[in-house]
Amino acid sequence: MGLEIKKTSSYLPEKIVENSEFEKYLDTSDEWISSRTGIKVRHFAKNETTSYMISKVCEGFELTEEERHKIKAVIVSSLTPDSLMPNMACHVQNFLGLNEDIFATDINMACSGFAGGVTLIEGILQDGDYGIVIGAEKLSGIINLNDRNTAVLFGDGAGGVLVKKNNDVSACDFGASYSADALKLRDFRESENYVSMDGKKVYRFAVDVITKSIENVLAKLNKKPEDITYFISHQANEKILKSACRKWSVPIDKFPMNLQSVGNTSSASIPLILDEVNKKGMLKKGDDVIFCGFGGGLTWVSYYVKW
């Protein structure tokens, strides 16, 4: 059993923060940031909450009444929800006026969350059922803007998909390797709650796991990297994606990127670039696509879908 992506949607806050903003008060520069990460600008939510961004994604689906009634599960991935109760998935039910007979839950897998949500929802839905998976983050609220190691990396945004359970082939790979110091968000009860990161450790992990995880999925499908139309990957660092291309000798075009204009948006990154690629008409029916998320935990998830 597999999934069909029926619709995509995304939302970015209006406020745009260029690298030059950080030059004003941090020991950094546009050239330093862009050459090491590929990031030029990012969006910061000013008055928008995570649930507001989620509501805009829901509006973007433009659901028909038939689609609305077929939705049986909602999964939202976020490490920056407005509230723990009610969860953000129940907000989605409210926004869309969905029936009560749905499975609605939030997950926190950081940058792996969207791919993890897609993997989970396949197991929840029955053949013909519809579901929604959304990744949404307001990371500007949990970064220390005076920390040059993290302030320049992250951005805000949300994106999601409407999926249908079908008989297509699917394949996934996932894992976790506990690390308390690589990527950490201190206890939410503490007064100063900021993301901290061991950049070198996270980079080494990401370069290693992105190829291993995708290769595990390819082996299950009996496919090679060149057989895949697009790898829709978490947008963390341009060099990480280029490292996979070099190893497999495939063109960088197979890894669409938007991190230069949105930064690292954690669980929102895959649905944001997916919606962009879809809206540009780059995807055609029958295309082979692999989602790959990797990050906090440390965790990783790769998932194959036939477009």
Side-chain angles (χ1 to χ4, degrees):
M1 301 295 284
L3 295 174
E4 177 186 355
I5 308 293
K6 301 294 291 185
K7 292 182 178 180
T8 63
S9 178
S10 64
Y11 175 80
L12 289 167
E14 291 184 7
K15 183 180 178 182
I16 295 175
V17 179
E18 299 182 358
N19 288 343
S20 57
E21 289 296 312
F22 298 104
E23 291 179 333
K24 297 175 182 178
Y25 66 95
L26 290 178
D27 180 19
T28 191
S29 66
D30 172 54
E31 192 279 331
W32 189 93
I33 298 169
S34 58
S35 65
R36 285 163 176 76
T37 68
I39 299 168
K40 299 290 290 184
V41 301
R42 73 285 293 147
H43 294 250
F44 278 2
K46 191 173 183 180
N47 299 315
E48 300 102 326
T49 61
T50 301
S51 60
Y52 175 81
M53 291 189 285
I54 288 171
S55 72
K56 301 304 287 185
V57 172
C58 290
E59 288 177 11
F61 287 134
E62 298 182 345
L63 296 178
T64 66
E65 281 304 307
E66 182 181 6
E67 290 168 338
R68 197 186 310 273
H69 287 294
K70 287 183 176 180
I71 293 173
K72 297 299 181 182
V74 175
I75 295 178
V76 175
S77 174
S78 180
L79 55 87
T80 57
D82 298 353
S83 62
L84 298 178
M85 294 187 294
N87 64 21
M88 295 294 100
C90 285
H91 279 278
V92 172
Q93 182 201 24
N94 181 50
F95 292 143
L96 294 175
L98 302 179
N99 296 330
E100 293 183 353
D101 60 336
I102 67 168
F103 189 95
T105 189
D106 290 1
I107 61 173
N108 177 5
M109 296 177 68
C111 309
S112 306
F114 177 80
V118 172
T119 302
L120 288 172
I121 209 165
E122 182 194 324
I124 295 169
L125 299 176
Q126 301 296 314
D127 190 24
D129 287 347
Y130 282 57
I132 287 176
V133 182
I134 291 175
E137 303 288 8
K138 186 176 179 178
L139 300 175
S140 60
I142 60 168
I143 54 175
N144 181 353
L145 292 175
N146 293 310
D147 177 9
R148 69 190 294 266
N149 294 316
T150 56
V152 302
L153 300 178
F154 298 102
D156 302 336
V161 292
L162 175 71
V163 301
K164 178 184 178 181
K165 183 74 170 281
N166 62 19
N167 289 313
D168 282 347
V169 173
S170 69
C172 65
D173 176 75
F174 47 81
S177 179
Y178 174 76
S179 177
D181 59 347
L183 266 170
K184 182 180 180 182
L185 180 61
R186 292 200 292 272
D187 192 303
F188 67 88
R189 291 166 294 187
E190 295 184 15
S191 58
E192 291 190 346
N193 189 27
Y194 298 133
V195 169
S196 61
M197 181 178 69
D198 182 335
K200 291 182 179 179
K201 187 171 185 177
V202 172
Y203 180 83
R204 289 194 297 269
F205 156 76
V207 168
D208 180 56
V209 80
I210 187 174
T211 51
K212 284 185 177 179
S213 183
I214 291 174
E215 285 170 356
N216 287 341
V217 172
L218 291 171
K220 294 176 182 180
L221 298 166
N222 195 27
K223 292 181 181 290
K224 299 177 181 178
E226 55 265 33
D227 298 326
I228 303 302
T229 312
Y230 292 115
F231 299 94
I232 306 296
S233 172
H234 169 51
Q235 306 284 296
N237 186 302
E238 184 180 46
K239 292 183 178 180
I240 294 171
L241 306 185
K242 286 183 174 179
S243 70
C245 293
R246 287 194 300 270
K247 180 177 181 179
W248 296 329
S249 299
V250 298
I252 192 62
D253 291 349
K254 283 188 176 288
F255 280 84
M257 282 187 273
N258 66 352
L259 61 89
Q260 65 277 5
S261 58
V262 301
N264 182 338
T265 56
S266 190
S267 65
S269 68
I270 292 177
L272 279 170
I273 185 61
L274 178 65
D275 186 48
E276 182 177 321
V277 167
N278 186 33
K279 295 290 172 52
K280 288 180 177 178
M282 295 167 61
L283 286 160
K284 299 177 178 60
K285 186 172 179 58
D287 282 350
D288 295 306
V289 177
I290 292 180
F291 302 144
C292 183
F294 48 88
L298 298 165
T299 61
W300 61 93
V301 181
S302 294
Y303 182 89
Y304 165 84
V305 64
K306 175 76 73 173
W307 196 258

